Amino acid sequence: MNHYAHSTRLLVAIDCIIFGFDGEELKLLLIKRRFEPEKGKWSLMGGFVNEEEDLEVGAERILHELTGLHNIYVEQLQTFGKVDRDPVERTLSVVFFALINIHNHDEESVKSHSACWISLKQMPKLIFDHEKMVQIALERLRYKAALHPIGFELLPQQFTIPQLQKLYEAIYDLKLDRRNFSRKILSTGLLLDTGEKNVNSATKKAVLYRLNKEKYESNFNNFWYFMPVTT
Amino acid sequence: MNHYAHSTRLLVAIDCIIFGFDGEELKLLLIKRRFEPEKGKWSLMGGFVNEEEDLEVGAERILHELTGLHNIYVEQLQTFGKVDRDPVERTLSVVFFALINIHNHDEESVKSHSACWISLKQMPKLIFDHEKMVQIALERLRYKAALHPIGFELLPQQFTIPQLQKLYEAIYDLKLDRRNFSRKILSTGLLLDTGEKNVNSATKKAVLYRLNKEKYESNFNNFWYFMPVTT
DNA sequence: CTATTATTGTGTTGTTTTGACACATTTATA
DNA sequence: TATAAATGTGTCAAAACAACACAATAATAG
């Protein structure tokens, strides 16, 4: 009667690609793997799916274990399932990507996992197919950030337009025109002037904005076209 | 030594959402499930992942089994993993969606699976979480077709601009302005005039075009903005 | 054989958006 | 007090767009 009985059961892992932005560069939170095979090598943070745990819950568990954070931006990327992607035993990996404010995580748990923020431009070799995962995550981030306001997930609560522009320039690895960028961003109505100014600046202090959460949430799935087609 | 040993192995299925277009409506190829539980109920075509089979290969196997087709447009949608999504045993489902020319499939194998093309507007109740899968696939199709020329995958080799417009109107369930649509589509350079005309039309015969495959392939990942923001 | 009707192809126009660029303002430092 | 670096605002021509008008084609009805 049980049509399922003779089918193969597979190990299923969850791996998390965690993006952060330090004001200059786009970075990934990577760990040094703590068990064989490939012990000591650079890797994405991951873990196996628990028996009684939904995939999203598993991703949040793993993200919390490393960063100490809850309620962060997480999105399922895709599932990697090449037969030989793990040398020990066939293992599927359901990959999630997360965007966090790079200053918000728990330093203790990051340290205890031998984790580091590493610039995308200085990526070390990663285990298994994790480099491919990162490549596809970066493509997804670039795709999504061009059309939806996810960039804000990488910034602090208050930020200036020049900071936002630097973020976009880091994501796409290009230079944008300051004046056109400002005009486009302000026209979205997503930014609320806080009245305050950025005291850190060495020259003219830029206005600090915060996200219009209402508009952000209700119109998230709109197409915004943040990036110019040329330039 | 083996860190993997104590983790749970899970059943992994592949389910396929197969879109087609009959000239008027967007349709799905659905089957009547042939085993318990939910035997006889409407379902997506699916199957379990074989031990020595990559996920994409499994998807192609399942699509071929139902349609007799190879080399069709397939894309991984996402993986569904709620603990209780299958009442028999926890089963992950890696979901793919496919776009095919509705007239190109093997009628025999479709019949032998008790499969039917069913309009999205007359969708029956589906088993498990398959309705959610369809909903998310439709969202992805709408998203993608607005930005990339995937609509052509649903049309015959030769087609008219009015046919293409009807396809877009079916995907988005709205009416488009004929003249603006034509201008936008022709300006992409994706259409090649075959010199022939559609003989089926009862009135003025429309020009038959074919896809500029070179441009389609090399510029597929461009943003095209096929859909107007308003209207 | 002509008028009618449905459909297709092309053109126009005013408005909005865009990309490229100029100029003025602010603030720390020389 | 001058300088330099960064920020804020403005201009303008070109391109893109939505809304709409009109002409051409072909089956069919009278």
Side-chain angles (χ1 to χ4, degrees), chain B residues 66-86:
Chain B
L66 180 60
T67 66
L69 299 174
H70 282 301
N71 298 318
I72 59 187
Y73 183 92
V74 186
E75 194 176 315
Q76 194 185 125
L77 189 66
Q78 69 174 65
T79 298
F80 288 72
K82 285 257 179 292
V83 170
D84 60 355
R85 55 173 297 281
D86 188 313

Side-chain angles (χ1 to χ4, degrees), chain B:
Chain B
M1 180 223 139
N2 190 343
H3 182 267
Y4 296 21
H6 301 294
S7 296
T8 319
R9 275 78 179 156
L10 297 176
L11 268 178
V12 181
I14 291 172
D15 287 306
C16 295
I17 293 164
I18 306 167
F19 285 103
F21 177 65
D22 67 357
E24 294 295 331
E25 288 184 303
L26 199 58
K27 297 192 165 184
L28 284 184
L29 189 53
L30 299 173
I31 66 165
K32 290 223 167 183
R33 186 165 159 109
R34 289 177 298 174
F35 49 84
E36 294 296 344
E38 303 280 7
K39 185 172 174 176
K41 302 282 180 62
W42 288 107
S43 158
L44 296 171
M45 179 67 185
F48 290 107
V49 177
N50 289 339
E51 200 152 358
E52 295 289 331
E53 181 185 63
D54 291 346
L55 293 174
E56 296 73 25
V57 175
E60 280 171 33
R61 167 176 59 79
I62 288 164
L63 286 165
H64 179 259
E65 185 187 331
L66 180 60
T67 66
L69 299 174
H70 282 301
N71 298 318
I72 59 187
Y73 183 92
V74 186
E75 194 176 315
Q76 194 185 125
L77 189 66
Q78 69 174 65
T79 298
F80 288 72
K82 285 257 179 292
V83 170
D84 60 355
R85 55 173 297 281
D86 188 313
V88 176
E89 175 181 336
R90 183 170 189 188
T91 308
L92 290 195
S93 172
V94 185
V95 179
F96 289 80
F97 82 93
L99 307 179
I100 72 177
N101 180 333
I102 202 167
H103 301 112
N104 269 1
H105 59 75
D106 177 3
E107 307 237 351
E108 286 309 308
S109 56
V110 164
K111 251 184 214 160
S112 73
H113 283 81
S114 326
C116 272
W117 285 103
I118 297 182
S119 160
L120 276 172
K121 296 194 168 177
Q122 284 133 39
M123 282 272 292
K125 210 170 147 19
L126 303 181
I127 64 163
F128 303 169
D129 51 0
H130 287 197
E131 284 180 53
K132 182 76 180 169
M133 293 173 180
V134 168
Q135 181 211 320
I136 289 178
L138 182 60
E139 285 169 14
R140 175 79 70 92
L141 173 64
R142 285 180 170 158
Y143 193 99
K144 211 129 189 213
L147 298 165
H148 305 278
I150 56 173
F152 298 103
E153 303 286 347
L154 292 161
L155 291 178
Q157 284 234 321
Q158 298 203 346
F159 53 87
T160 68
I161 291 183
Q163 280 170 359
L164 184 61
Q165 182 177 338
K166 280 201 168 176
L167 168 60
Y168 275 88
E169 291 177 339
I171 292 175
Y172 296 97
D173 197 23
L174 49 75
K175 289 284 166 201
L176 297 171
D177 183 275
R178 190 167 53 82
R179 297 151 292 189
N180 293 336
F181 181 81
S182 168
R183 177 159 39 87
K184 185 171 257 181
I185 290 294
L186 286 174
S187 75
T188 63
L190 284 168
L191 266 50
L192 296 174
D193 191 330
T194 64
E196 297 173 61
K197 296 203 168 186
N198 182 10
V199 287
N200 295 326
S201 169
T203 60
K204 181 170 181 177
K205 276 95 172 85
V207 173
L208 283 164
Y209 291 89
R210 63 189 174 82
L211 189 58
N212 182 340
K213 286 247 168 76
E214 221 169 292
K215 187 146 196 176
Y216 173 79
E217 277 160 24
S218 66
N219 294 27
F220 185 88
N221 286 313
N222 285 13
F223 287 154
W224 294 93
Y225 308 134
F226 289 107
M227 296 302 292
V229 176
T230 62
T231 304

Side-chain angles (χ1 to χ4, degrees), chain A residues 193-213:
Chain A
D193 191 330
T194 64
E196 298 173 60
K197 295 202 169 187
N198 182 9
V199 287
N200 295 325
S201 169
T203 60
K204 182 169 182 177
K205 276 96 172 82
V207 173
L208 283 164
Y209 291 88
R210 63 188 175 82
L211 189 59
N212 183 339
K213 286 247 168 74

